[in-house]
């Protein structure tokens, strides 16, 4: 909660320090705690295969909400906090909304307390679990693990990704368990006749679902990239990626080094992206999504959302087949592009026409410069 002086004149008179206004102050509530009994621990499989232990506790009310389920994050936490089933635990819900277990009250440990055994096999597909050096998280590395598939589909349909309204976790789980939905492309091949015969699906809800799925096909590229759930690729990186290509599959030609030249992309992120675009199954999925009508091109909408060609630099050389040099330059500038007069590492795009000479030769030696012909230039600016 932030308490503010609600008189604008007084606010003016109070002014600012170099850090903050003198007329506003944060009021922090004390953390709220309660005790409960740790009944059981479930092991959930995330979309990247991570195994998360989740404590099931006797329902307890803290700060107006009932808590019965608490993430324990990883195996180390269970050890560090010395948790056992049937223990009395101290639960805290601080200012934020995620509750956590502070500790178990060892002095109240009952005789029937049971140690928590972390599984060595995936609770869903029974594959052997792995833990990487230096990581605290155990993973199921079976890419076809049904639990991961479901989580990936849920992520794809979620609000920040493809935003397919009315789909929801429950429907994904239900359709998957009935064999109606097996992978991400399956979203666009749902058998609505069969769904229509299921309980709880009226004509209206089917119509809504069908049109929400249809609408999602034209979501901008960065939402699709985020929805693919590539490890370490959040919404910001997804936007950077979408801006860097005119078609998503161009990334199959990017090396890890080229990826690392993109804004805020480090080694870890670059190798994850590289890995994704070199997996034949993933490429097959992208082809299938495109043939189902999804947008894999960088459309104008995408660029407007991501800030157009703003700050990108252009140089034109040679005679273009249809455009005059001045027209082409104006088009680049109209979208926020800047014109350079010579080839250097600062140049992003060299657009070449007939009889391009030394500039082209020079540009070929600088790997970061993208060399386009007129058609590719027009595609880039969506004309
Ligand atoms: Zn598994």
């Amino acid at each position: 909660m932030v308490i503010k002086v609600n008189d604008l004149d007084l606010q003016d008179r109070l002014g600012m320090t170099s850090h903050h206004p003198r007329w506003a102050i944060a009021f922090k509530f004390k953390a709220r705690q309660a005790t409960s009994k740790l009944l059981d621990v479930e092991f959930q499989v995330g979309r990247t295969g991570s195994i998360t232990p989740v404590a099931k506790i006797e329902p307890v009310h803290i700060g107006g909400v009932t808590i019965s389920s608490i993430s324990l994050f990883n195996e180390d936490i269970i050890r560090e906090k010395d948790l056992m089933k049937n223990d009395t635990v101290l639960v805290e819900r601080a200012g934020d909304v995620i509750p956590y277990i502070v500790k178990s009250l060892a002095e109240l440990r009952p005789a029937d307390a049971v140690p928590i055994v972390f599984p060595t096999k995936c609770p869903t597909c029974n594959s052997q679990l792995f833990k990487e050096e230096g990581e605290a998280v155990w993973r199921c590395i079976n890419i076809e693990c049904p639990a991961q598939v479901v989580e990936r589909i849920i992520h794809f349909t979620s609000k920040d990704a493809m935003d397919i309204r009315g789909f929801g976790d429950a429907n994904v789980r239900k359709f998957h368990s009935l064999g109606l939905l097996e992978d991400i492309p399956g979203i666009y091949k749902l058998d609505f006749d069969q769904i229509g015969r299921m309980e709880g699906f009226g004509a209206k809800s089917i119509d809504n679902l069908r049109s929400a799925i249809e609408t999602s096909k034209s979501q901008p590229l960065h939402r699709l990239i985020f929805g693919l759930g590539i490890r370490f690729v959040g919404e910001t990186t997804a936007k950077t990626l979408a801006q860097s290509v005119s078609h998503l599959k161009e990334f199959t030609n990017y090396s890890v080094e080229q990826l690392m030249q993109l804004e805020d992309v480090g080694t870890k992120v670059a190798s994850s992206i590289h890995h994704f675009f070199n997996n034949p199954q993933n490429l097959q999925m992208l082809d299938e999504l495109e043939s189902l009508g999804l947008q894999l091109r960088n459309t104008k909408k995408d660029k407007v959302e991501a800030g157009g060609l703003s700050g990108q630099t252009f140089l034109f050389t040679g005679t273009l087949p249809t455009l005059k040099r001045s027209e082409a330059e104006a088009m680049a500038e109209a979208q926020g592009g800047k014109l350079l007069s010579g080839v250097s590492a600062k140049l992003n795009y060299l657009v070449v026409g007939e009889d391009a000479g030394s500039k082209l030769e020079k540009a070929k030696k600088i790997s970061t410069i993208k060399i386009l012909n007129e058609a590719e230039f027009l595609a880039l600016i969506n004309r």
Side-chain angles (χ1 to χ4, degrees):
M1 183 160 74
V2 178
I3 299 174
K4 295 181 181 180
V5 173
N6 68 349
D7 180 316
L8 292 174
D9 290 335
L10 282 177
Q11 285 189 4
D12 268 351
R13 284 173 60 191
L14 285 160
M16 307 269 291
T17 71
S18 59
H19 301 289
H20 52 83
R22 290 199 185 89
W23 42 267
I25 189 165
F27 180 85
K28 293 194 180 81
F29 290 99
K30 277 209 180 106
R32 299 164 190 221
Q33 298 186 327
T35 54
S36 176
K37 188 177 171 188
L38 177 54
L39 302 173
D40 199 6
V41 175
E42 284 178 4
F43 296 90
Q44 293 179 354
V45 188
R47 73 183 154 85
T48 60
S50 58
I51 309 292
T52 307
V54 178
K56 298 291 161 183
I57 60 168
E58 254 168 22
V60 61
H61 300 275
I62 308 178
V65 294
T66 305
I67 298 162
S68 57
S69 198
I70 300 180
S71 174
L72 297 173
F73 304 105
N74 59 53
E75 188 182 21
D76 297 349
I77 303 272
I78 296 174
R79 307 258 165 285
E80 280 161 23
K81 299 197 169 171
D82 181 30
L83 303 177
M84 287 174 85
K85 284 184 209 172
N86 297 331
D87 268 354
T88 300
V89 289
L90 184 61
V91 178
E92 179 166 318
R93 185 173 166 259
D96 53 13
V97 285
I98 303 167
Y100 69 104
I101 290 182
V102 182
K103 59 177 180 177
S104 79
L105 304 175
E107 59 277 23
L108 297 180
R109 177 161 287 166
D112 64 349
V114 184
I116 296 162
V117 182
F118 211 91
T120 55
K121 293 189 170 166
C122 173
T124 303
C125 72
N126 214 31
S127 305
Q128 189 71 38
L129 299 181
F130 287 91
K131 183 153 80 168
E132 271 174 60
E133 190 88 13
E135 268 205 38
V137 175
W138 286 94
R139 280 175 202 286
C140 166
I141 57 165
N142 171 15
I143 189 94
E144 307 201 348
C145 172
Q148 294 178 49
V149 171
V150 166
E151 294 303 322
R152 284 201 294 269
I153 300 173
I154 289 173
H155 173 74
F156 188 86
T157 61
S158 69
K159 191 166 154 286
D160 295 331
M162 297 298 270
D163 193 18
I164 307 182
R165 307 250 166 111
F167 210 130
D169 301 15
N171 284 337
V172 173
R173 289 183 205 287
K174 187 185 273 175
F175 297 162
H176 183 268
S177 69
L178 294 170
L180 294 169
L181 177 60
E182 279 171 3
D183 50 17
I184 288 172
I187 295 167
Y188 299 93
K189 299 187 291 188
L190 281 175
D191 182 347
F192 287 103
D193 291 337
Q194 204 168 338
I195 294 169
R197 288 194 291 272
M198 287 162 56
E199 212 173 309
F201 285 92
K204 183 115 202 323
S205 61
I206 297 267
D207 272 356
N208 289 344
L209 185 57
R210 197 199 291 262
S211 79
I213 291 171
E214 201 54 37
T215 307
S216 76
K217 288 182 179 173
S218 47
Q219 286 285 20
L221 184 58
H222 67 85
R223 281 182 172 268
L224 174 67
I225 296 173
F226 178 63
L228 292 172
I230 305 167
R231 240 182 122 193
F232 310 123
V233 175
E235 288 173 84
T236 309
T237 308
K239 282 188 179 165
T240 305
L241 292 177
Q243 253 179 306
S244 311
V245 288
S246 49
H247 189 282
L248 186 54
K249 283 189 76 182
E250 286 171 28
F251 282 119
T252 55
N253 302 319
Y254 272 58
S255 66
V256 172
E257 290 70 29
Q258 281 172 307
L259 288 164
M260 282 174 66
Q261 282 164 9
L262 301 174
E263 210 176 314
D264 289 330
V265 174
T267 328
K268 198 173 72 170
V269 184
S271 35
S272 170
I273 297 167
H274 187 257
H275 187 76
F276 183 91
F277 285 99
N278 279 276
N279 176 329
Q281 269 177 297
N282 290 338
L283 300 182
Q284 205 185 323
M285 173 175 74
L286 293 180
D287 287 340
E288 194 175 359
L289 289 174
E290 187 162 44
S291 70
L292 287 163
L294 275 80
Q295 186 54 258
L296 268 67
R297 302 202 74 85
N298 179 350
T299 64
K300 196 161 193 165
K301 192 178 168 196
D302 208 9
K303 283 189 190 139
V304 170
E305 279 196 31
L309 294 175
S310 133
Q312 298 284 303
T313 54
F314 289 83
L315 176 62
F316 295 84
T317 186
T319 312
L320 299 173
T322 67
L323 294 172
K324 280 191 210 144
R325 174 81 58 87
S326 56
E327 280 178 288
E329 288 177 346
M331 284 176 172
E333 283 187 306
Q335 300 223 9
K338 275 191 253 167
L339 302 173
L340 293 189
S341 55
V343 174
S344 73
K346 285 184 193 151
L347 183 63
N348 299 118
Y349 296 102
L350 181 72
V351 184
V352 296
E354 197 93 21
D355 300 322
S358 62
K359 284 176 179 161
L360 176 57
E361 292 314 309
K362 202 172 166 193
K364 280 180 178 167
K365 292 186 186 120
I366 305 175
S367 68
T368 51
I369 299 178
K370 295 189 191 79
I371 298 169
L372 308 177
N373 61 28
E374 186 189 272
E376 288 164 333
F377 168 69
L378 290 172
L380 177 73
I381 62 167
N382 291 300
R383 288 297 189 94

